[in-house]
Amino acid sequence: MRESKRSMKNENSIFRPLMTLGRFLTVLVTLCLPGPIVFADDTPAKNVSDEAFFQTTVLPILQQHCYECHSHGAKKAKGGLVLDSRSGWAKGGETGPAIVPGKPNKSLLISAIRYEDYEMPPTGRLPEELIRKIERWIADGAHDPRATENVQHNGVIDIEAGRRHWAFQPPRSVTPPEVRDTEWPRHDVDRYILGQLEEAGLRPVADANRYTWLRRVSFDLTGLPPTVAEISEFETDQSPQAREKVVDRLLASRAFGERWARHWLDLVGYADQLGTSNNVFAEHAWRYRDYVIDALNNDKPFDRFIREQIAGDLLTHSTTEQRASSLVATGFLVLGDIEIVEADKEKLLVDIVDQQLNKVGKAFLGLTLECARCHDHKFDPVPQRDYYAMAGFFHGTSTVYKTSRGVWSDIHVAELPETDDQKNERNRLATTHAEKLKRWQQERKQAQDRTAELNNQLKQDGLSQEERDKLTKERDETSGRIGPLNNRITHGEFFAPAVPRTYAIQDADNPGDMKITIRGNPRALGDQVPRGFLRVASDKQPQIPKGRSGRRELADWIASSDNPLSARVAVNRIWQKLFGEGLVRSVDYFGLPGDRPSHPQLLDHLAIQFTRGGWSRKHLIRSLVLSRTYGLDSAHDDRAHAVDPDNRLLWRMNRFRLDAEALRDAMIFVAGQLVPSVGGPAMPLEFPENVGGLSPTNVNPPNFRLTKWRPEQEFQRTVYLPVIRSGAQPGPATLRNVFDFAQPSQFTGQRSITAVPTQALFLMNSSVVKKHAAALAEQMMQEDDETQRLKLLWLTLLNRPLTETEQHETTAFLTQAGENAWVELCHALLASNEFLMRL
């Protein structure tokens, strides 16, 4: 959706259409279409920085549209042409040089992308806008600083050549650049950002106002807007430490972990369902979700976070709580889309290994290791043997076992150690539950006995019609209680209080190295490959104790500051959540065809500071949100946009729509209905009607239906609601189906953001949104004075003061709209672009 170049807050009013209810409903669709703001690239570049333009505009086009067929990482470069280095296009392919600097009309590359003599890319012509950018680059001299990164040598991957790729080199500490405007930076981050802006002849836009900054940092850190009291406190605090106080308060809140845990759960493929078949509930999955929330709120060092998730069962511990937490953490390796109905158990095991390696590679290393399962990686310096060297760590790990129910498998469950207090509480609950079960069994026995007695009486001769009807009615009522009691008892026995358990992994009985599976076939085996690390990222290989899987050694290597990838990937993910785009935009992929860092020295600086600072995510986040760069306005600037249309140099703050969780949680929050939670099971399995297949004689595993919900779940934060893989998100979380929720069968570091009519229609017609609007209106009616009520509404919902124009127009609307005017006004605000957007 296009938007005026003026900032939203400076427009005359976003509520001009609210003069009548009819006009309000007509224009509401336009107001509530969500999505990122984009601008047309129709202004010629002036004073373009060659380096900045190449890195931010040209290189991403080449990487996305050309590298698959024309790079050293391609299996065979088509026509002999490679475009991943200056020497590549200068030499050209079979028909000669691809580019003549300064002469786009004489460059074969331009001819090809124009679909004149050749057709590149063959999958479809590039958009005209991208063609113009390539033409402009060549006309300006085709600046290209790249050296050849050839990882293929006579068809064999050249590891040493691969190590020259920026991501596989150790982070280098570089002094922040000198800047001309020495008054602007508040932080080293600002010096790196301003340095590149000044080099490109640009200036950052003005700072965001205090209301915008407070709303921004509140949503980014907690997923919730600021309260009216928090706005007032910040507004009146003019001390130099005012922003620091806000950030420290947000970081110390439970809401911080609830917000940032969801980012990590996207990467894990977390769900409360095992696989996708037969709606099998993952009874213990919630423990891993709560582990992530607690780890973030306790600022668990990220290197410890890595070790616990890969090898928590193998670590030493000083307390019972630490041991339990580390066991729960290994759920990272098992809570993916495991096809537990797979009848071919050999295939299931190698598929699980592949999924675990894929998850570790993407989450911690930013690499697509799974691409080397059947052959050498097509683009990256990862030979097939390195895939199996890494896969061996998980080949020696036991994740699932064959159940007695048909062909089904299940994930290993580990009993968690308990403190004395926990054990005493469990015993108390078990006693109460046993008494309840005994009472139900007695009721069933009485019903069975009475039913039998009544049946015998009904067999007697001489009963009048009236007596027979009376006995029959009692018999039917009594026997009708037996079925529900049977279900209640079976359910009670299945879910009886027991030692707490969690999904976890363990070393296999005889762990060893893995053999290559030819084309992924577990029955077509090749060479056995010794377990080891990726050679392109490590010049050392592990010494694995006999009888161990080696996961502990793998975890130590990944979590080491010597690993060139882990810290970079981690800080880039954090940057992306705060700024909308990563310094490396391909946040899940740091391989050769992936995006290069827009600010490589800044990325290395942050990675080094992250490890030296004890791998503290809170410390890193605090420093970033207190930077001046983070505090920039998101306003448009014609000149900066002409030079850097994608804002890769960060001359302004990126604006984007709230994600599904923040949007739903914010609606509940502003309506004053949010119910705090301390975690616990997401699936309401305590209701017998939600569960089936509990009998051990059933050939299929227990399953869920989710027809009944706990009353409080309608008002809990979205992170605590069940996540389902096999279909749409159910119950109170239906908003996730419309607003780009991460597919829980995949590992997602950055969600898509779409703007489609169904989102606007949902906001207009959803009974849930209407309920929130009614609750918000009722809350506002507690203020007697209408003007004060409007001011309160604006602060509550949009987190800024009401303007005179908005007051005039909204008052006119309220006068004309009838008895539901306040509900309609609240509904319009909840669906407005300003509420949906994080500016």
Side-chain angles (χ1 to χ4, degrees), residues 531-675:
R531 283 162 285 176
F533 308 142
L534 290 178
R535 285 175 289 161
V536 72
S538 175
D539 57 3
K540 298 178 182 178
Q541 293 302 320
Q543 297 295 319
I544 302 173
K546 186 177 180 179
R548 304 299 291 267
S549 65
R551 280 184 291 111
R552 173 64 188 269
E553 288 70 26
L554 173 65
D556 287 340
W557 171 66
I558 292 178
S560 168
S561 58
D562 293 333
N563 187 314
L565 292 164
S566 302
R568 278 194 182 112
V569 170
V571 300
N572 189 61
R573 292 193 189 284
I574 290 173
W575 184 280
Q576 183 263 320
K577 299 307 178 187
L578 296 174
F579 291 88
E581 292 279 4
L583 294 170
V584 179
R585 284 186 294 182
S586 52
V587 294
D588 293 329
Y589 186 44
F590 277 36
L592 270 65
D595 287 318
R596 288 173 175 259
S598 58
H599 299 75
Q601 293 180 349
L602 172 57
L603 180 63
D604 279 7
H605 168 79
L606 294 176
I608 291 170
Q609 294 301 311
F610 184 50
T611 57
R612 288 179 179 173
W615 300 77
S616 167
R617 283 174 283 190
K618 281 191 177 183
H619 180 77
L620 174 61
I621 291 169
R622 185 182 191 275
S623 67
L624 292 179
V625 298
L626 289 173
S627 69
R628 190 158 189 179
T629 304
Y630 179 83
L632 289 175
D633 198 2
S634 57
H636 181 74
D637 180 271
D638 285 336
R639 185 172 179 279
H641 178 256
V643 174
D644 180 23
D646 295 327
N647 192 33
R648 295 298 290 142
L649 298 179
L650 286 170
W651 46 270
R652 66 174 173 89
M653 171 55 80
N654 291 310
R655 52 173 70 177
F656 44 87
R657 193 193 63 222
L658 299 178
D659 60 23
E661 290 86 348
L663 181 56
R664 176 183 175 273
D665 294 352
M667 286 185 178
I668 301 172
F669 184 75
V670 298
Q673 296 181 306
L674 190 66
V675 175

Side-chain angles (χ1 to χ4, degrees), residues 178-307:
E178 296 291 332
V179 294
R180 291 189 291 274
D181 185 357
T182 57
E183 297 298 320
W184 191 83
R186 294 196 193 113
H187 189 282
D188 280 347
V189 167
D190 300 326
R191 294 180 180 87
Y192 286 104
I193 297 298
L194 184 60
Q196 286 195 209
L197 284 170
E198 290 182 341
E199 185 179 337
L202 300 179
R203 288 282 306 161
V205 300
D207 296 340
N209 64 54
R210 288 167 65 89
Y211 297 104
T212 299
W213 181 87
L214 181 60
R215 177 179 166 89
R216 176 188 299 167
V217 76
S218 297
F219 269 114
D220 284 354
L221 267 56
T222 68
L224 297 171
T227 64
V228 173
E230 290 165 352
I231 294 171
S232 177
E233 181 181 359
F234 182 59
E235 188 178 30
T236 56
D237 186 353
Q238 297 300 315
S239 71
Q241 294 78 34
R243 297 193 180 206
E244 294 180 7
K245 293 176 186 176
V246 169
V247 173
D248 290 340
R249 170 177 56 79
L250 296 172
L251 289 173
S253 69
R254 179 173 176 81
F256 169 75
E258 293 169 333
R259 171 61 175 168
W260 282 75
R262 186 60 253 178
H263 299 325
W264 187 256
L265 296 177
D266 282 2
L267 267 175
V268 176
Y270 174 87
D272 295 280
Q273 176 183 6
L274 296 183
T276 56
S277 301
N278 285 42
N279 291 341
V280 180
F281 54 78
E283 182 182 357
H284 312 294
W286 62 272
R287 293 191 187 277
Y288 178 79
R289 178 207 64 204
D290 285 358
Y291 160 82
V292 177
I293 293 173
D294 291 342
L296 284 156
N297 279 332
N298 295 329
D299 201 19
K300 185 186 292 285
F302 190 71
D303 58 339
R304 177 73 186 187
F305 188 66
I306 293 173
R307 288 184 172 91

Side-chain angles (χ1 to χ4, degrees), residues 322-530:
Q322 284 181 358
R323 171 65 178 163
S325 178
S326 292
L327 284 174
V328 173
T330 64
F332 169 81
L333 292 173
V334 301
L335 293 176
D337 185 11
I338 295 177
E339 195 51 70
I340 56 176
V341 75
E342 174 61 65
D344 186 340
K345 300 307 176 185
E346 291 298 321
K347 179 179 182 299
L348 173 63
L349 293 179
V350 295
D351 285 348
I352 289 174
V353 167
D354 183 70
Q355 184 176 125
Q356 291 170 334
L357 184 55
N358 177 16
K359 188 184 295 189
V360 167
K362 182 171 288 188
F364 298 126
L365 304 176
L367 296 175
T368 54
L369 301 181
E370 73 278 11
C371 295
R373 178 177 179 178
C374 300
H375 50 71
D376 288 348
H377 201 292
K378 189 174 182 181
F379 303 113
D380 292 335
V382 180
Q384 186 184 30
R385 292 185 68 86
D386 276 21
Y387 170 93
Y388 285 93
M390 289 281 284
F393 296 115
F394 305 107
H395 177 69
T397 299
S398 182
T399 303
V400 298
Y401 64 95
K402 170 74 170 60
T403 71
S404 59
R405 296 181 180 232
V407 301
W408 292 87
S409 298
D410 203 352
I411 296 173
H412 282 302
V413 173
E415 290 189 348
L416 294 174
E418 298 175 283
T419 63
D420 290 341
D421 288 344
Q422 290 171 334
K423 196 176 299 181
N424 291 336
E425 175 64 10
R426 175 171 59 82
N427 289 334
R428 185 188 67 79
L429 293 174
T431 300
T432 302
H433 188 78
E435 292 172 353
K436 189 187 301 183
L437 272 176
K438 184 177 180 180
R439 185 170 65 251
W440 292 339
Q441 291 165 343
Q442 290 172 344
E443 290 178 12
R444 180 176 64 180
K445 180 67 166 56
Q446 291 170 356
Q448 291 171 334
D449 291 345
R450 181 56 179 162
T451 299
E453 182 181 342
L454 290 169
N455 280 329
N456 289 332
Q457 292 181 21
L458 285 169
K459 292 177 183 178
Q460 296 177 6
D461 297 331
L463 293 174
S464 67
Q465 185 62 46
E466 182 179 349
E467 290 174 328
R468 184 172 298 277
D469 288 346
K470 183 178 180 181
L471 291 172
T472 299
K473 181 179 180 182
E474 182 184 356
R475 189 271 316 273
D476 292 346
E477 290 177 350
T478 303
S479 63
R481 292 199 298 270
I482 296 174
L485 282 168
N486 283 335
N487 291 337
R488 191 180 300 174
I489 291 168
T490 300
H491 179 274
E493 291 172 341
F494 188 92
F495 291 105
V499 175
R501 294 172 292 169
T502 188
Y503 294 120
I505 43 86
Q506 61 192 40
D507 274 2
D509 291 338
N510 296 296
D513 299 328
M514 188 173 184
K515 291 184 177 180
I516 293 175
T517 60
I518 300 172
R519 297 188 181 277
N521 184 347
R523 292 177 177 79
L525 300 178
D527 296 340
Q528 184 165 291
V529 182

Side-chain angles (χ1 to χ4, degrees), residues 13-20 23-25 27 31 809 813:
S13 172
I14 61 172
F15 293 102
R16 188 172 294 281
L18 300 188
M19 297 303 294
T20 67
R23 292 173 64 194
F24 152 62
L25 292 174
V27 183
L31 286 176
E809 295 180 349
F813 165 74

Side-chain angles (χ1 to χ4, degrees), residues 62-103:
L62 297 178
Q63 290 170 332
Q64 183 175 354
H65 300 286
C66 307
Y67 273 23
E68 183 174 357
C69 300
H70 298 285
S71 69
H72 289 91
K75 192 170 184 180
K76 182 179 180 181
K78 292 186 178 180
L81 172 64
V82 292
L83 296 173
D84 56 356
S85 67
R86 182 180 183 88
S87 60
W89 57 254
K91 178 181 177 182
E94 298 168 355
T95 54
I99 293 173
V100 180
K103 299 179 180 180

